[in-house]
Amino acid sequence: MSAQHRLCILGSTGSIGVSTLDVVARHPDRFSVYALSAHSRIESLAEQAARHAAQVVIVPDDAARARFVAAWPAGRPLPEIRQGAQALADTAADAEVTAVMAAIVGAAGLPGALAAARAGKRVLLANKEALVAAGSLFMRAVRESGAELLPIDSEHNAIFQCLPQSADRARAPAGPAEGVRRLLLTASGGPFRCTALDQLESVTPDQACAHPNWRMGRKISVDSATMLNKGLEVIEAHWLFAMPMERIQVVVHPQSVVHSMVEYLDGSILAQLGQPDMRTPIAYGLGYPERIDGGVGLLELARLGRLDFETPDLARFPCLRLSFDALGQGQGACIALNAANEVAVDGFLRGRIRYTQIPSIIEHCLDDSVAHGAQTPSSLAEILDLDAHSRRVAAGFCQAV
């Protein structure tokens, strides 16, 4: 058995963080919790830190610190409380940490994930922005530091499992794996896969968040409904597996049982199947290269009866088309795509724009990115500057529509 991992879980109160702690609790001999972070669910953070004996917690500000102290069980010594965005990056790179679960949603999770990669940690990557907004920079950090990179998104984790086995497969690849023809990313199609197109304009946030298979946060649930999340995953797959865009295909699979596939030159297709439960890829990443119990139940294939596959309808899912467009245009466009989507989804969830206006706002920001000739950023500061610019453009367009 491998030496015990000391974990830093960035975004521990979100769905990925909660599932990670569930798996960790099943293996106290393998894992200890060094640090946990949260942005708004501070009382939940206190409960987690007490239960898992975290030595460090990271909160955003003084008000959050006061809430944490108030929620802490009386009579127990407080963990070290660190504050602010820089503390996230510093803790991810802490010498006490051996593995980092990068699960903060959005661009806010990028500095911590990048710091973990630069420090040569085992990076369990559940944050999309590390690759969507900073793919070149992030993969260079992994390559130069010798970090282990294990994707936690169910689709990328499935592809990782289906790729050829090698001793260095958790390192940054120099090119596509030998013998691979293409990657097949599966998508459920979300809650509106069969909804009449003329009804999409009036759908509500609650309807968009009612995913038929997965339990997720509201932002990523909307991304699943628009299939923007699948577009981001295409961009991630391009960087994770050094795969040209033309060799990545999206297939709608409503049952969410086949999590993704790899097609080889000889015509073989290897698929990874499992319950729609994030504890499976989390357990794989935590235990790699060994297999450990994730608490996931049996998959009864006979009870399922059938597995369906469809070509995605780009009229229904224009965000998927826009994602391929952004990848073709370069890193600056990918930053604009992600930033615009975050602003647009927030506007939709707050009732300020309609569901069908999300792709319009994204396309407007992509046009702006092209018009301003956004180049591939060479530093985190440049990435954050481009991100901030696209957010301003998107926010202004949200007010205008």
Side-chain angles (χ1 to χ4, degrees), residues 1 4 7 24 33-35 58 83 116 121 144 169 187 190 292 296 300 333 339 383:
M1 186 176 68
Q4 188 182 64
L7 299 176
V24 165
V33 175
Y34 176 72
I58 309 105
Q83 291 180 217
K121 307 299 184 183
E144 291 175 352
R169 60 199 296 256
I292 64 174
V296 179
E300 300 289 357
I383 291 168

Coordinates of all heavy atoms in Angstrom, one line a residue, residues 1 4 7 24 33-35 58 83 116 121 144 169 187 190 292 296 300 333 339 383:
M1 N 0.8 -1.2 0.0 CA 0.0 0.0 0.0 C 0.9 1.3 0.0 O 1.9 1.3 0.6 CB -0.9 0.0 1.2 CG -1.9 1.1 1.3 SD -3.0 1.0 2.7 CE -1.9 1.3 4.0
Q4 N 0.6 7.2 3.3 CA -0.6 8.0 3.5 C -0.5 9.4 2.8 O 0.5 10.1 3.0 CB -0.8 8.2 5.0 CG -2.2 8.8 5.3 CD -2.4 9.0 6.8 OE1 -1.7 9.8 7.4 NE2 -3.4 8.3 7.3
L7 N -4.1 15.4 2.5 CA -5.0 16.1 1.5 C -5.3 17.5 1.8 O -5.6 17.9 3.0 CB -6.3 15.3 1.3 CG -6.2 13.9 0.9 CD1 -7.6 13.3 0.9 CD2 -5.6 13.8 -0.5
V24 N -12.7 9.5 1.5 CA -11.6 9.6 2.5 C -11.9 9.0 3.8 O -11.1 8.2 4.4 CB -11.1 11.1 2.7 CG1 -10.2 11.2 3.9 CG2 -10.4 11.6 1.4
V33 N -6.7 14.4 6.4 CA -7.1 15.7 5.9 C -6.3 16.8 6.5 O -6.3 17.0 7.7 CB -8.6 16.0 6.1 CG1 -9.0 17.4 5.7 CG2 -9.5 15.0 5.4
Y34 N -5.5 17.5 5.7 CA -4.6 18.6 6.2 C -5.4 19.9 6.2 O -5.3 20.7 7.1 CB -3.3 18.6 5.4 CG -2.4 19.8 5.8 CD1 -1.8 19.8 7.0 CD2 -2.3 20.9 5.0 CE1 -1.0 20.8 7.5 CE2 -1.5 22.0 5.4 CZ -0.8 21.9 6.6 OH 0.0 23.0 7.0
A35 N -6.0 20.2 5.0 CA -6.6 21.5 4.8 C -7.9 21.4 4.1 O -8.1 20.6 3.1 CB -5.7 22.5 4.1
I58 N -9.2 27.4 5.1 CA -9.1 28.7 4.4 C -10.4 29.3 4.2 O -11.3 28.6 3.6 CB -8.3 28.5 3.1 CG1 -7.0 27.7 3.3 CG2 -8.0 29.8 2.5 CD1 -7.1 26.3 2.8
Q83 N -6.7 33.1 5.5 CA -7.7 34.0 4.8 C -7.2 34.4 3.5 O -6.0 34.7 3.3 CB -8.0 35.2 5.7 CG -8.7 35.0 7.0 CD -9.0 36.2 7.7 OE1 -9.0 36.2 9.0 NE2 -9.3 37.3 7.0
A116 N -0.7 24.2 -7.0 CA -0.4 22.7 -6.7 C 0.4 22.1 -7.8 O 1.3 21.3 -7.5 CB -1.8 22.0 -6.5
K121 N 2.7 18.6 -6.7 CA 1.7 17.7 -6.0 C 1.0 16.7 -6.9 O 1.1 16.8 -8.1 CB 0.7 18.6 -5.3 CG 1.2 19.7 -4.4 CD 2.1 19.2 -3.3 CE 2.5 20.4 -2.4 NZ 3.4 20.0 -1.3
E144 N 7.0 20.6 -16.0 CA 8.3 21.1 -15.4 C 8.4 20.7 -13.9 O 9.6 20.4 -13.5 CB 8.3 22.6 -15.5 CG 8.5 23.1 -16.9 CD 8.4 24.7 -17.0 OE1 8.1 25.3 -16.0 OE2 8.7 25.2 -18.1
R169 N 1.7 7.6 -17.1 CA 0.5 8.1 -17.7 C -0.1 9.3 -16.9 O -1.0 10.0 -17.4 CB -0.5 7.0 -17.9 CG -0.9 6.3 -16.7 CD -1.5 4.9 -17.1 NE -2.7 5.0 -17.8 CZ -3.9 4.8 -17.3 NH1 -4.1 4.5 -16.1 NH2 -5.0 4.9 -18.1
A187 N -22.3 12.7 -23.2 CA -23.1 13.7 -22.6 C -24.5 13.2 -22.4 O -25.1 12.6 -23.3 CB -23.1 15.0 -23.5
G190 N -28.9 16.4 -20.7 CA -29.5 17.3 -19.7 C -31.0 17.2 -19.7 O -31.6 16.3 -20.3
I292 N -9.6 1.5 -4.9 CA -10.1 1.5 -3.6 C -11.6 1.6 -3.6 O -12.2 2.1 -4.6 CB -9.4 2.6 -2.7 CG1 -9.8 4.0 -3.3 CG2 -7.9 2.4 -2.7 CD1 -9.4 5.1 -2.4
V296 N -19.6 3.1 -3.8 CA -20.6 3.1 -4.9 C -21.2 1.7 -5.1 O -20.5 0.7 -5.1 CB -19.9 3.5 -6.3 CG1 -20.9 3.5 -7.4 CG2 -19.3 4.9 -6.1
E300 N -26.3 -2.7 -12.2 CA -27.0 -3.8 -12.7 C -27.4 -3.6 -14.2 O -28.4 -3.0 -14.5 CB -28.3 -4.0 -11.9 CG -28.1 -4.3 -10.4 CD -27.5 -5.6 -10.1 OE1 -27.3 -6.4 -11.1 OE2 -27.2 -5.9 -9.0
A333 N -9.7 33.1 -26.7 CA -11.2 32.9 -27.0 C -11.7 31.9 -25.9 O -12.9 32.0 -25.5 CB -11.4 32.3 -28.4
A339 N -15.5 32.9 -19.2 CA -15.9 34.1 -18.4 C -17.3 34.5 -18.8 O -18.1 34.8 -17.9 CB -14.9 35.2 -18.6
I383 N -3.9 36.0 -17.9 CA -5.1 35.2 -17.9 C -6.2 35.9 -17.1 O -7.3 36.1 -17.6 CB -4.9 33.8 -17.4 CG1 -4.0 33.0 -18.3 CG2 -6.2 33.1 -17.1 CD1 -3.5 31.7 -17.7

